[in-house]
Every structure is written in structure tokens, then in C-alpha cells.
Amino acid sequence: MSELFDAVDALLASRAVLPPPEERKRLRQAHALTVDEVASALKVRRATVTSWESGKTEPRPPERDAYARLLDGLAQLYPAPADSPVPAETPAPAETDVIPETFTAAPAPAEVRSLSTGEASEAAVMTATENTQAPAPAPAAAAPAAAPRPARTANPSSTSRRPGARKAAPAGTPAGGADPRFENGPLAVVDVEDGKVWAYCTGGLVLDVPAKSIPALVEWTLTEAKLGAPKLSGPGRPADPLIVLTEAACERYGLPVTLTAEEKDAGRIPEGHKVIKQLARAEWKLTKRGFGPWARIYRPAKGSERQCVQLCIPSWNALDARFWGGAAQLAPAELARVLGVYASRVMTPRGSTAVTGLELMTALHPPTHAVRDEETGVLRQSETKTPGSLGKDPVDCAPCEAPDGHPLLADLPRFTVRGPDQKLFEEAYEWARPMTDAECTLRYLVGLDVNMAFAAGANGLIVGLGEPTHVKNPVFDPKLPGSWLVDLSHVDLSRVKAGKEWVELDGGLLPSPFTPKGGTPEGPAWYATPTVAYAVELGYDVAPTEAYVRYDNGRYLDGWYQRLRDAYLATMADLGVDADLSPEDFLAAMDGYKDRDPELGIVVSAIKATVKGGLGKLRERPRGEGWRPGERWRALERPTWRPDIRAAVISRTRINLHRKIVKHASFTGQYPIAILSDCVVYAANGPSPLDFLPYRDGKPLPGGFKLGINPGLVKHEGTQTVLWGEEVREKFNAPTLNLARSIKDGTVTDTDNGE
């Protein structure tokens, strides 16, 4: 009998009346309870309790029962003041014929629509039970929470929408309303559950997908799904919709769940696959990359109307774990959130993070623009390139900028090894030195990492937009981008200029700013403009004997930098790391920041990979396909194949870091013991960066290292002991083992033993 009574009590509790949102908050605060305490007791996320108190969502059993019991007890302890209006009661959600489900996604209304007849029909708005906890408070402008899976109804079209529920706007949605063509967001994750196909969109929206084949799915996406994103620049074009297929969706539509070894090598499924035949019969085309992890399906554009859909298949390694972490293993709603935040803040993914980084450059500076024909009045593509862009036609690089195997070098004898006076070699730092006796008496090795270092190097950088011009015995111009053949071996780092004054340094403890390995140049070599300009800044004359300069130039990467910077800062703010924190608060906020919201942590990693990968794509090498040295490869046909731009960004990034090192050394007498790309390691008496960075009243050394989240500022990379550093160097018998490679976690492998 007691079991029956318990069941009846549960039914009564499931319809328990809750006070309105503002009263819930008052009761919690009256008992001095924090949101975290309530979330911990109910075993839900902090954001869930916040949503209940703001009225964005309503709790569901079993959490609703416990929450109602808590509020009822608090109401007895702290009744509403007599002079306050009696709050209206909030009824429990209407009963639906559903099977309860438990999810770990953050709460957001899930709006289920059926578009099988071409019009959206109303469906139930349900919320999911939460069983995870977020330890840190969410900022005011937080990224959209993940949408729960939709509650299944016997007849979705017959259910009603909860009053007041709205689809959450995706992060980055411009104020003033979204484009009605793309009202459902930039992308959807298509999954199959209980025989039904669902499309999980951004903002908590879930669509019923009627398509029974890939061609039908493409057609539905373009005609009914209302997916896509507005253009990023005036002369640009809107982003094509992205459809992500889960493993279940692959099975449903006749695609393999994983690729075979041969298919992985080819990067696509065979041309004779039945799905490709279906697309051909429906008059859909594939790009040259074929049907691979990132497949583009299109029909030739008619006028200004573009018909193109991109597919992403995570189980085919579309979301590489090196850059997307565990995104491929996320539930559909959570994956839609991760990709949706990235799409709204960066752009809709067009492939790998490297491909997307490159495509972002083009989207912000389209090569051509529309002009109106004076005779017919019809819009057509301009014959001239858009100002500030790279144009639509590729240009050859200078011979010194060409990588080995380039057609420009076809006349060189086979197996020729080009030296610095024949080849531009601007790369990131990889340098280390033995510790001095004084440094060995200190206790710790502290690593600093420059935030978004290569993005900061691109900011404000003048780069070439057109083809190079060869000049003999030029006068160096720091504002003219190009490659210069000049001898910088005379620059003495023991005496350099800092502003208008000369300073004395221990040059033997500093890396040279002119070579990636930190060694002093031995004679003439090719350098990008920022490197030569830094030699002048240090107080030394330069006399180039030859140069390839670009008179057509501009700040091509400024918009690219700003877009990625804003995406990074907004996402870090969502994780509780703001740009205006004090040094102490910043270090505390950075401690375990990804654990506060692992999904947004994935977005941060993807944004960083977009920066590095996009710049790397500017000098993409051959990727198989039967290529032989001296032949052209596919990447050379892109106007964005620009090794000179890549070299200029890397040069400026390396110089920016060296400038900070010199400033720090001149003021403190401290020198780095290892540098790896954007990480620099110092010996110190304490484990924190604040134990050796010269802060005074919270203010950093001007021109030196500054703690903060903005690109170009530094964060704590990791700390190990000096004893650890000496032991690993002794173990590998390598006095110059680069400790920056292992400073984060102390793990050293045999592959790290390189001098």
C-alpha cells in the first residue's frame, strides 16, 4: 500500500504549483542561498536554475518535484510581504504523451517544427532534465545553451506551444532582427531517433525532416529549412547552409558510418557509390573534392540565386580531434550548439579549421563585386578586382618565396639545397640555451604563452595584394611589403636602441631575432619587411642588395583579425575570463576555464586553430595526387596561395615576441631559457608569472609582457621546477633541450630531444 501512496504523492508533486520566477529568486535570496548551492542540491547546472528564475524554462520531473518542495519550505519561512501583490501561480506544463528523457545539455527551449508540408506547424516546447553542474557563473552575454532533444509526441502537430516560449537567438545575431531567409540559423545536425529524422538547429530549435534520401535532404534544406547565414561583407555572398550527419543519419541515407582505409586515403567515397548516383539522377553536382567528410552539393547558379548545401560527416573525421576536441562525440543538440556558436562568431565552417580560416579571408574581402550594366541595367560581375582584395586570379610568388618543388625552381639541379641567400625562411621560434649558474639557484621554470600570437601579428600588418616587382639595390622602406636580400650579421644584441637611448644587454643570453633557431646570421639572407624593419629599430643601418616588393598593398588581414579576436574574446568571456580583469583575477579565472563549459572550450580551441590553420594554408604544399617536383599543384591555382603573406605574419609575430623579451631584459636583467613559437620560459623564484613580471601597482612594464586575454597579451602556460628541467636535459644529454615544449604538463618524450 505504501508504494501506491508514494506513486500518488509523486503524481501530486508532478503537478505542483510553482511561484512565478521573480518570487523563486526572492525566496532563494531570503535564505541566503546561492544559485550554485541550489543547483548542486538538485543536481542540475547553474544555468538551469538561472533559467528557472528568469522564466526562460520551467523545471520538469523529477527536478520539478524537489524544486517545488524547496520553494514551499522557503515560502513558509519567508512569506511574501503583506504590501506586495500576490504572485500569480505558474501551472505545471500540460501533459503530453511522451517518454521522459534525461540529458546533460544546458537548458534551452526546444521548438519542434514539422516542415513536411512546406509550412511550419506548431509543436510542443519541452525542456530537458539536467544532471551536470557548472561551477562558474555565466556572463551576462553568454553563448546560447545547448538544446535538449525534443520530447516525442504521438501527434506533434496537435500539441500546443507553451505561452511565451521563443527560439533563442544564436550568439552573434545582429540586433534588429535576423534575415528571414535564415531564421533557423546557419546549420543543423541531422539525427535519427525512433525512426524519425530530426534536425537540431541553433538556439534550441528542432525540425522534423521529411527527406528520405540525400538528394531530398538537399532539396529540403534549400527550400524549406530556412538555414544559412548573411554575408560578412558588402560585396560578398550569404553562407551556404551546413548539414551535419550523425552516424544514425548516415545509415538512414545509405552512407557508410566510417570510411575504409582506401576511402580515407582518397578523402572520399567511390564515384560509383549509390548516393552519388542518386545525386547525379537528381541533377546535383559535387565539387572536385568529391563526396568526402566535407561534401559540397550544388547546382549551377541561376543569376544571383545560388543553390549549394555543404555536408559535414563527423564519423568520417570531418571534425578533427586535434582542433575540435571531442566535438564528434557530442549529442546532436550539443554539437549544434558548438558549431552554431562558432558559425555565428567566426563563420559557417567550410571544411577544416584551416580551410575555414582561409575562406574567412575571402569572405571578408571578396575578389569581385557586382556592377550594373549601363545598357541593360542587369547586375553582373565586375571585370576588375574589389579594392583591398587579392583578386580572382592567382599570382606567382617571388623565386625566393617559393617552397622547394615549385615550378619557378624547375631549372635548379636536382637535390639542390638552397641557403638563406636563396630562400626566404621566416618561421616561428624554436630556440633554447643552457641555464646559467645563477638561474640554476632559482626554484622554478615559468612558461608564458602569447594569446592568439599569430592573429596579433596580423593586426595592422601591410601585406602585398598583387604580384612582386624585382628591384636591385633598393632603399629599404619599412612600409613596403616584400622580401629583401640583406646582411644583418652586424647587428649586435649586446648594445641595442630602446627608443632614443642605447641599452647594454647580455647578447649571449638572447636569441637572434633574425633566425628561427636564434643563431646569428652568417651573411646575406632573405627577410620579410618586418624583420628588416626591426634591425633598423634596434639602431643599425641596412643596405639591401636585392628585393621583391609589392607596390599594390594594404591591410588585408585587419578584418580577419578583428573577426577572430572578437570571437575569441566573446567566448572567453562566456567562460568567465573577461578582458578587464586584474592580473591576479585573470590568473584565477584562467585556472580550469574550459571545465566551466566544455562545449565552449571546444569553440575556443577551434578559433585558435582557425588562426594558425588559415595562415598555414597560405603556403599549402602538394597533397599527393601524383604530384612531382617542378609541377604545379592544386593550391597554386588559388589567389589565396600567398607564401609572402604567411612569411610576413610569422616575421612580425617573432619580432613582437623578441621586442618584449628585450624590454623585459633591459629592465629586470632576466633572460629566457627557451622559446617555442609563442611560448617563452623564464627561471624564477616563485611558481607564478607575478613572481618575476615587473608589475607596479597593478601596471605592467610598458612594452613588456602583460597578463591578459587580449591577443598579444600573455597567460600562464605552466610551471615546473628547475630541478625537473636539469634532470630531463641530463637524461637526454641535451643541454639545449627545448623545455618550452613540455612546460605545461612536464611530459617529455624521445621525440622532444631535438637540438
Side-chain angles (χ1 to χ4, degrees):
M1 184 65 70
S2 62
E3 293 181 358
L4 293 177
F5 287 165
D6 290 342
V8 171
D9 290 341
L11 286 175
L12 292 173
S14 68
R15 298 296 183 268
V17 175
L18 297 177
E22 58 271 16
E23 178 66 5
R24 302 170 196 174
K25 184 175 183 179
R26 185 194 72 81
L27 291 171
R28 175 180 59 78
Q29 293 176 337
H31 200 59
L33 293 174
T34 66
V35 175
D36 288 320
E37 289 174 325
V38 175
S40 178
L42 299 178
K43 296 182 179 180
V44 299
R45 296 182 61 176
R46 184 187 193 282
T48 303
V49 177
T50 303
S51 295
W52 293 345
E53 292 186 352
S54 64
K56 292 181 179 179
T57 61
E58 289 296 319
R60 292 184 55 79
E63 283 76 15
R64 180 184 179 87
D65 312 346
Y67 190 46
R69 184 182 181 90
L70 170 66
L71 294 176
D72 184 57
L74 293 176
Q76 295 180 29
L77 293 173
Y78 310 99
D83 57 348
S84 64
V86 179
E89 293 181 342
T90 303
E95 181 180 4
T96 55
D97 186 15
V98 302
I99 300 174
E101 296 180 276
T102 302
F103 307 99
T104 59
E111 185 175 334
V112 184
R113 296 185 181 180
S114 174
L115 300 181
S116 57
T117 60
E119 295 183 356
S121 61
E122 287 194 335
V125 177
M126 308 297 290
T127 57
T129 300
E130 299 295 329
N131 60 10
T132 60
Q133 180 180 359
R149 288 174 178 258
R152 308 301 180 218
T153 64
N155 184 2
S157 62
S158 66
T159 58
S160 60
R161 182 182 303 163
R162 177 172 58 81
R166 293 180 180 271
K167 182 180 71 174
T173 301
D179 191 322
R181 296 173 298 169
F182 316 124
E183 67 175 66
N184 294 335
L187 55 89
V189 180
V190 175
D191 189 33
V192 180
E193 186 175 346
D194 299 330
K196 286 283 290 180
V197 183
W198 304 94
Y200 293 79
C201 306
T202 58
L205 176 67
V206 185
L207 305 177
D208 175 14
V209 182
K212 299 185 183 303
S213 66
I214 290 294
L217 178 63
V218 173
E219 194 77 48
W220 172 83
T221 301
L222 291 171
T223 58
E224 301 183 50
K226 295 185 178 180
L227 296 173
K231 58 187 178 182
L232 295 180
S233 66
R237 66 188 183 204
D240 299 321
L242 173 65
I243 297 294
V244 184
L245 299 179
T246 65
E247 293 184 10
C250 287
E251 292 180 346
R252 178 63 170 261
Y253 290 121
L255 292 168
V257 172
T258 59
L259 298 179
T260 65
E262 293 79 8
E263 290 168 344
K264 288 180 181 178
D265 291 340
R268 67 188 77 186
I269 58 177
E271 294 295 327
H273 195 280
K274 64 179 181 179
V275 170
I276 297 180
K277 292 180 179 179
Q278 291 173 358
L279 291 168
R281 284 196 296 270
E283 299 183 346
W284 290 104
K285 297 180 180 293
L286 292 165
T287 57
K288 290 182 179 180
R289 74 170 72 172
F291 204 120
W294 292 92
R296 298 190 68 79
I297 304 172
Y298 72 98
R299 283 176 180 151
K302 296 179 180 179
S304 61
E305 200 166 321
R306 179 179 169 88
Q307 289 186 297
C308 185
V309 172
Q310 179 153 308
L311 300 184
C312 167
I313 307 178
S315 62
W316 294 7
N317 199 36
L319 301 176
D320 193 320
R322 293 174 297 172
F323 315 121
W324 286 100
Q329 284 72 49
L330 292 176
E334 297 166 345
L335 180 55
R337 181 197 181 207
V338 168
L339 294 176
V341 172
Y342 180 89
S344 64
R345 292 178 174 172
V346 180
M347 71 179 299
T348 305
R350 295 287 302 274
S352 66
T353 49
V355 169
T356 304
L358 198 68
E359 291 289 341
L360 180 61
M361 297 179 193
T362 302
L364 294 169
H365 289 286
T368 60
H369 55 283
V371 294
R372 192 171 299 280
D373 191 294
E374 296 181 358
E375 296 182 0
T376 64
V378 177
L379 288 176
R380 58 176 176 79
Q381 288 295 319
S382 171
E383 298 297 328
T384 60
K385 75 173 186 176
T386 304
S389 76
L390 299 180
K392 61 181 180 180
D393 298 318
V395 297
D396 279 336
C397 61
C400 62
E401 298 162 351
D404 294 338
H406 192 281
L408 288 174
L409 310 176
D411 294 336
L412 287 180
R414 194 176 182 185
F415 304 121
T416 297
V417 178
R418 294 185 293 160
D421 59 339
Q422 295 176 297
K423 180 181 180 180
L424 178 69
F425 192 67
E426 294 283 10
E427 298 295 339
Y429 264 132
E430 186 172 357
W431 169 87
R433 63 169 176 82
M435 283 187 275
T436 65
D437 292 342
E439 289 167 340
C440 288
T441 64
L442 302 177
R443 297 183 61 189
Y444 296 100
L445 299 175
V446 183
L448 301 176
D449 182 76
V450 182
N451 295 312
M452 302 270 284
F454 294 99
N459 182 31
L461 179 65
I462 300 175
V463 300
L465 302 178
E467 59 187 13
T469 300
H470 188 210
V471 182
K472 288 285 190 178
N473 299 314
V475 175
F476 176 69
D477 182 352
K479 296 182 179 180
L480 187 59
S483 300
W484 310 78
L485 181 61
V486 59
D487 188 350
L488 300 180
S489 60
H490 63 291
V491 177
D492 183 5
L493 294 180
S494 63
R495 187 173 184 272
V496 298
K497 217 170 188 180
K500 295 183 179 180
E501 298 181 355
W502 290 87
V503 296
E504 304 290 336
L505 300 171
D506 188 339
L509 300 180
L510 283 172
S512 168
F514 309 126
T515 62
K517 297 293 184 180
T520 303
E522 297 179 355
W526 286 98
Y527 301 101
T529 297
T531 303
V532 185
Y534 187 55
V536 176
E537 179 184 329
L538 292 176
Y540 293 87
D541 295 329
V542 296
T545 58
E546 192 177 351
Y548 287 91
V549 296
R550 289 169 170 84
Y551 296 108
D552 178 12
N553 55 64
R555 293 167 61 158
Y556 175 72
L557 295 173
D558 273 12
W560 183 80
Y561 160 77
Q562 291 161 9
R563 180 82 177 173
L564 290 164
R565 175 204 60 193
D566 293 347
Y568 177 69
L569 293 181
T571 310
M572 290 301 294
D574 289 338
L575 288 165
V577 186
D578 295 308
D580 56 354
L581 295 174
S582 67
E584 295 80 5
D585 291 341
F586 169 71
L587 291 174
M590 286 296 294
D591 187 16
Y593 71 95
K594 287 187 178 181
D595 296 335
R596 295 171 200 150
D597 191 328
E599 293 166 18
L600 290 184
I602 292 173
V603 177
V604 169
S605 298
I607 292 171
K608 293 179 180 179
T610 303
V611 173
K612 292 186 177 180
L615 293 172
K617 276 280 183 180
L618 291 169
R619 199 190 68 165
E620 184 178 357
R621 303 303 303 274
R623 304 176 64 183
E625 301 177 345
W627 173 82
R628 293 182 179 180
E631 297 177 347
R632 295 187 70 83
W633 59 92
R634 187 188 301 180
L636 298 185
E637 307 310 320
R638 295 194 319 249
T640 50
W641 193 85
R642 293 296 300 272
D644 56 298
I645 296 179
R646 173 187 176 274
V649 173
I650 293 176
S651 164
R652 192 163 188 244
T653 302
R654 193 181 67 247
I655 294 307
N656 285 347
L657 180 58
H658 196 275
R659 186 181 290 113
K660 289 180 171 64
I661 290 170
V662 168
K663 190 72 175 180
H664 184 84
S666 65
F667 188 80
T668 66
Q670 298 168 337
Y671 296 83
I673 65 167
I675 308 173
L676 183 66
S677 187
D678 49 7
C679 176
V680 56
V681 176
Y682 282 90
N685 264 325
S688 168
L690 291 176
D691 290 320
F692 72 95
L693 291 182
Y695 272 83
R696 289 185 177 178
D697 299 325
K699 296 182 180 180
L701 173 68
F705 295 106
K706 178 182 179 182
L707 291 167
I709 199 59
N710 277 292
L713 305 188
V714 298
K715 62 178 180 291
H716 184 205
E717 177 69 3
T719 295
Q720 304 296 330
T721 64
V722 168
L723 181 60
W724 164 86
E726 288 298 272
E727 284 180 345
V728 296
R729 283 181 165 180
E730 183 178 349
K731 175 182 177 181
F732 291 103
N733 192 26
T736 57
L737 179 72
N738 197 323
L739 300 176
R741 194 184 304 277
S742 311
I743 196 69
K744 189 168 189 176
D745 58 11
T747 302
V748 183
T749 63
D750 290 339
T751 57
D752 295 334
N753 183 18
E755 295 188 49

